[in-house]
Amino acid sequence: MLLGRIVDDPPAFSRDGFVAILNAGLPRKRVIGQGILRDRDGRVLLCELTYKREWDLPGGVVEVGESPATGLVRELEEELGITVEVEGLVTMNWLPAWSRWDDACLFVFDLGVVDAELVEQMVLQRTEIAAVHWCDLDTVRERATLATTELLESLADAPLPAYREAPRQPDPVRDQAR
């Protein structure tokens, strides 16, 4: 059954038409690129965000047609005013739905070790980033999301597997609806 078509859509029963119909109807999953950037004391950079209470690793949503690594580099240029080099994939973390956010696939990359003074050179995109902080694990536990805390605690213990699933976070929106 065809519900609606645009005049310049490929013919419905052609290969291109079939692919277009599938692309229009298949679920889309949000992809996020985040980076672990450490200072020489081993602290991790977390961003204090304007749109949620918890702090998080730098990064953001990958645009259509953009690789997760390229998206991460772009996000850090836009939001922090810095250019980084991706040194490798740490893990891919599936995030369950949380606080009105849909589930997502989170690609976590190693961004290496830098001097702590790098934050003084950052030009923050104030609509999204209120501040940045170098954090030890105790500060991460106090300020970060459960998914970020669990990820960084696990990374401190051993290298992470290529694929992981983040724990489901307490969700006041979902829990209140029950």
Side-chain angles (χ1 to χ4, degrees):
M1 173 192 311
L2 298 177
L3 300 177
R5 301 203 17 90
I6 298 174
V7 123
D8 59 350
D9 281 349
F13 298 105
S14 69
R15 180 188 182 288
D16 288 345
F18 180 73
V19 170
I21 290 169
L22 285 178
N23 277 340
L26 288 174
R28 296 195 179 241
K29 186 164 300 290
R30 209 166 17 103
V31 174
I32 300 169
Q34 285 187 330
I36 298 176
L37 185 64
R38 295 186 187 277
D39 72 1
R40 300 205 187 285
D41 293 328
R43 298 175 298 177
V44 175
L45 186 74
L46 291 184
C47 296
E48 184 178 341
L49 304 168
T50 61
Y51 53 88
K52 66 181 179 181
R53 190 186 65 209
E54 299 83 7
W55 297 358
D56 215 339
L57 293 168
V61 176
V62 175
E63 294 179 358
V64 174
E66 183 178 56
S67 77
T70 300
L72 173 59
V73 171
R74 177 189 49 76
E75 285 284 339
L76 270 62
E77 287 173 351
E78 292 174 1
E79 295 179 355
L80 304 180
I82 61 171
T83 301
V84 296
E85 287 190 31
V86 172
E87 296 189 6
L89 181 68
V90 174
T91 192
M92 199 288 286
N93 210 19
W94 175 76
L95 300 175
W98 171 72
S99 190
R100 294 196 178 106
W101 294 95
D102 290 339
D103 70 320
C105 291
L106 173 64
F107 289 80
V108 182
F109 295 96
D110 179 6
L111 300 178
V113 176
V114 298
D115 290 323
E117 293 75 27
L118 177 66
V119 297
E120 296 166 14
Q121 300 168 23
M122 292 181 181
V123 179
L124 306 184
Q125 182 182 33
R126 294 294 179 183
T127 56
E128 292 191 38
I129 310 295
V132 293
H133 308 275
W134 291 114
C135 301
D136 59 20
L137 266 179
D138 287 336
T139 306
V140 169
R141 289 180 189 108
E142 290 172 23
R143 298 295 193 150
T145 64
L146 179 60
T148 298
T149 301
E150 189 275 335
L151 174 94
L152 293 173
E153 286 176 338
S154 296
L155 186 59
D157 293 338
L160 298 177
Y163 172 79
R164 336 175 48 247
E165 293 185 4
R168 190 168 296 279
Q169 269 195 184
D171 186 343
V173 173
R174 185 187 70 231
D175 296 342
Q176 191 174 30
R178 288 183 180 175

